[in-house]
């Protein structure tokens, strides 16, 4: 991968360059001191990944990222910043990852690996959120974007909403109502505190006490279904050729 490091702080730039030069998957690097310098370099050369600072003199990292998404072959964007309050805005401009300074080598490696797994067609598809819906999730001090297709279900507990996927449990900075409105065709409500990714719905069952339970693909334990939402689930399952509800 060809990687462009964009940061107005020399120490931060040098730290990232040192990390990158030790990685086999990185075949070349370049640096830009600000957003204007970065855009000039991107017009002259194609980069696979841009490591982008958030606050810089002149154009901010968000402003640069907005322009990058308009390129014919946009690079993957990884924000590297000292500020944790721009994460949601970063993913609105299709950032692949949001890393907090001081950047940890392993987090950078994982973010670059995610970028490498995205082929050019996927990168182009990221310009259309309807084609590749994704969720911003919290991983420790970092924020990453997770494709909705990897999600099993969402659950609201106290003040937080948790996302469960093949990568484990993550915190989501959105309410269930917001998620349901964003993805009405992909998510289905099964309980006041639970949304399930529709393609993973397998089977609706009823226990001897009359309670309803939903089997979800790749999830060990069935999820409780409220009576209010059981009928909607039954209709979904009856209309799905792959699965049918238990009587």
């Amino acid at each position: 991968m060809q990687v462009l490091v964009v940061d107005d702080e020399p120490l931060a730039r040098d730290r990232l360059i040192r990390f990158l030069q030790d990685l086999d998957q990185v075949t070349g690097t370049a640096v830009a001191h600000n957003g204007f310098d970065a855009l000039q370099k991107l017009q002259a050369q194609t980069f696979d990944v841009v490591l982008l600072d958030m606050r810089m003199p002149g154009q901010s990292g968000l402003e640069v990222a907005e322009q990058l998404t308009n390129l014919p072959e946009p690079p993957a964007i990884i924000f590297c910043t000292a500020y944790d309050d721009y994460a949601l805005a970063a993913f609105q401009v299709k950032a692949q990852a949001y890393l907090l300074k001081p950047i940890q080598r392993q987090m950078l490696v994982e973010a670059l690996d995610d970028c490498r797994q995205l082929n050019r067609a996927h990168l182009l598809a990221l310009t259309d959120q309807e084609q590749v819906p994704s969720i911003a999730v919290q991983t420790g001090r970092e924020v990453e974007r997770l494709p909705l297709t990897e999600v099993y279900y969402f659950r609201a507990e106290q003040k937080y909403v948790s996302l469960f996927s093949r990568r484990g449990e993550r915190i989501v900075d959105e309410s269930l109502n917001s998620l349901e409105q964003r993805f009405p065709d992909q998510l289905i409500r099964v309980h006041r505190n639970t949304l399930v990714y529709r393609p993973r719905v397998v089977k609706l069952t009823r226990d001897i006490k009359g309670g309803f339970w939903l089997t979800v693909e790749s999830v060990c334990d069935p999820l409780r279904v409220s009576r209010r939402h059981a009928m909607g689930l039954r209709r979904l399952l009856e209309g799905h050729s792959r699965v049918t509800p238990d009587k």
Side-chain angles (χ1 to χ4, degrees):
M1 294 185 293
Q2 294 286 330
V3 182
L4 176 63
V5 177
V6 186
D7 200 310
D8 63 311
E9 300 177 1
L11 292 178
R13 287 198 308 268
D14 293 345
R15 177 184 176 87
L16 289 173
I17 291 295
R18 287 197 304 272
F19 286 161
L20 294 171
Q21 289 176 340
D22 289 337
L23 302 178
D24 293 337
Q25 65 264 43
V26 177
T27 56
T29 60
V31 298
H33 300 171
N34 53 53
F36 179 77
D37 187 19
L39 292 172
Q40 283 192 319
K41 284 183 168 60
L42 285 158
Q43 290 174 356
Q45 180 180 347
T46 298
F47 291 92
D48 300 296
V49 181
V50 175
L51 305 184
L52 188 57
D53 190 17
M54 185 61 73
R55 292 188 182 179
M56 298 179 290
Q59 290 182 311
S60 69
L62 285 175
E63 291 171 327
V64 173
E66 288 173 355
Q67 296 184 61
L68 297 188
T69 60
N70 295 323
L71 293 176
E73 294 186 356
I77 300 170
I78 299 175
F79 277 102
C80 300
T81 176
Y83 304 94
D84 61 1
D85 49 352
Y86 294 100
L88 291 180
F91 289 112
Q92 289 174 356
V93 292
K94 321 301 188 299
Q96 180 63 26
Y98 191 92
L99 307 182
L100 293 177
K101 295 178 179 178
I103 305 301
Q104 302 301 310
R105 185 181 186 280
Q106 185 58 35
M107 295 301 297
L108 178 61
V109 169
E110 291 176 4
L112 289 170
D113 284 345
D114 286 343
C115 293
R116 185 172 56 171
Q117 291 170 10
L118 290 173
N119 61 27
R120 186 65 65 183
H122 285 154
L123 288 175
L124 292 174
L126 287 177
T127 60
D128 188 345
Q129 285 184 327
E130 296 303 317
Q131 291 180 343
V132 187
S134 58
I135 307 291
V137 297
Q138 192 79 32
T139 307
R141 296 180 63 245
E142 316 298 340
V143 179
E144 63 179 339
R145 185 173 59 201
L146 189 69
L148 188 61
T149 53
E150 294 187 10
V151 172
Y152 301 157
Y153 64 96
F154 298 88
R155 174 170 288 164
E157 300 180 67
Q158 297 180 351
K159 297 181 179 180
Y160 302 99
V161 172
S162 296
L163 173 156
F164 296 85
S165 75
R166 65 179 183 82
R167 304 190 193 186
E169 181 179 355
R170 300 286 190 273
I171 299 300
V172 180
D173 192 20
E174 288 190 68
S175 68
L176 291 184
N177 287 338
S178 173
L179 290 165
E180 193 172 24
Q181 290 172 10
R182 283 181 62 197
F183 307 111
D185 297 327
Q186 291 94 349
L187 301 178
I188 185 167
R189 178 85 66 159
V190 302
H191 194 278
R192 62 180 177 80
N193 69 350
T194 310
L195 289 173
V196 176
Y197 182 51
R198 284 176 182 259
R200 296 194 179 274
V201 170
V202 175
K203 182 173 63 174
L204 180 67
T205 58
R206 197 169 187 177
D207 61 29
I208 59 175
K209 295 182 178 180
F212 292 95
W213 300 87
L214 180 67
T215 300
V216 178
E217 182 182 325
S218 301
V219 177
C220 295
D221 298 324
L223 305 180
R224 181 179 292 278
V225 177
S226 67
R227 293 180 179 274
R228 176 184 176 187
H229 296 99
M231 185 58 68
L233 264 174
R234 183 177 289 275
R235 287 196 296 265
L236 172 67
L237 291 167
E238 288 174 346
H240 199 303
S241 60
R242 186 170 66 93
V243 287
T244 56
D246 280 6
K247 304 298 184 182

